[in-house]
Amino acid sequence: MRRNKIDEKEFSDINITPLTDVVMVLLLIFMIASPFLIVGAFKVKLPKATTAESVNNKSIEVFLDSSNKIYLDNKNITMPELLLQIQLKLKINPEQSVIIKADKEVFHGNFISLLDELKKAGVTKFLIGTSKKEQ
């Protein structure tokens, strides 16, 4: 059988329309889903204070959220892991302070327990994180 030139032209062109459609759908899915994929995001509503001051030094920040989860370096961490990490950081710089940023909904007893455990780990300088209250 002999092929004519029309048949050859038909098979030599690649149709990229389906590929473009698939790529556009995938792009749209990633654009919609990406705000929900933020890793390590946690929400801590700090109490407000009119006398709040900003701290410029490199302190260790420990977060305690409303469900009593502890975060260090934007990662959820258990109490024994926190104490180990704090001890390692204090070996490098013993004068380093720790800022405790606890959610305003955290019970006072849970805050004190965290403070007590940090003292046992060797922390001597504490700062309590607050946000600036507008007067």
Side-chain angles (χ1 to χ4, degrees), residues 23-38:
V23 169
M24 291 301 287
V25 168
L26 287 174
L27 179 65
L28 209 128
I29 289 170
F30 284 117
M31 286 174 54
I32 292 171
S34 64
F36 302 108
L37 298 176
I38 298 172

Side-chain angles (χ1 to χ4, degrees), residues 105-119:
E105 302 295 323
V106 170
F107 290 113
H108 184 68
N110 296 335
F111 177 80
I112 296 300
S113 295
L114 175 63
L115 189 70
D116 190 41
E117 292 296 323
L118 290 172
K119 278 182 131 177

Side-chain angles (χ1 to χ4, degrees), residues 5-21:
K5 291 189 179 199
I6 295 172
D7 288 341
E8 287 177 15
K9 179 142 174 100
E10 234 176 81
F11 290 111
S12 66
D13 289 341
I14 298 173
N15 187 3
I16 63 166
T17 304
L19 176 67
T20 307
D21 290 343

Side-chain angles (χ1 to χ4, degrees), residues 8-131:
E8 287 177 15
K9 179 142 174 100
E10 234 176 81
F11 290 111
S12 66
D13 289 341
I14 298 173
N15 187 3
I16 63 166
T17 304
L19 176 67
T20 307
D21 290 343
V22 169
V23 169
M24 291 301 287
V25 168
L26 287 174
L27 179 65
L28 209 128
I29 289 170
F30 284 117
M31 286 174 54
I32 292 171
S34 64
F36 302 108
L37 298 176
I38 298 172
V39 177
F42 54 94
K43 201 171 202 178
V44 174
K45 291 183 248 170
L46 295 175
K48 295 184 184 285
T50 55
T51 58
E53 299 175 13
S54 61
V55 178
N56 294 330
N57 64 350
K58 288 284 188 182
S59 299
I60 303 168
E61 289 185 333
V62 177
F63 293 89
L64 183 62
D65 72 1
S66 58
S67 60
N68 294 316
K69 291 182 183 171
I70 301 168
Y71 295 89
L72 179 70
D73 298 330
N74 295 328
K75 290 183 280 188
N76 188 0
I77 193 167
T78 64
M79 183 62 77
E81 292 171 337
L82 172 69
L83 299 178
L84 181 65
Q85 291 294 322
I86 294 291
Q87 288 171 344
L88 291 173
K89 290 180 184 229
L90 289 176
K91 280 185 183 177
I92 296 169
N93 183 3
E95 297 297 315
Q96 200 168 19
S97 59
V98 173
I99 301 175
I100 301 173
K101 294 188 174 183
D103 193 283
K104 64 182 179 179
E105 302 295 323
V106 170
F107 290 113
H108 184 68
N110 296 335
F111 177 80
I112 296 300
S113 295
L114 175 63
L115 189 70
D116 190 41
E117 292 296 323
L118 290 172
K119 278 182 131 177
K120 288 178 190 175
V123 178
T124 56
K125 295 181 181 180
F126 292 98
L127 300 167
I128 299 172
T130 60
S131 60

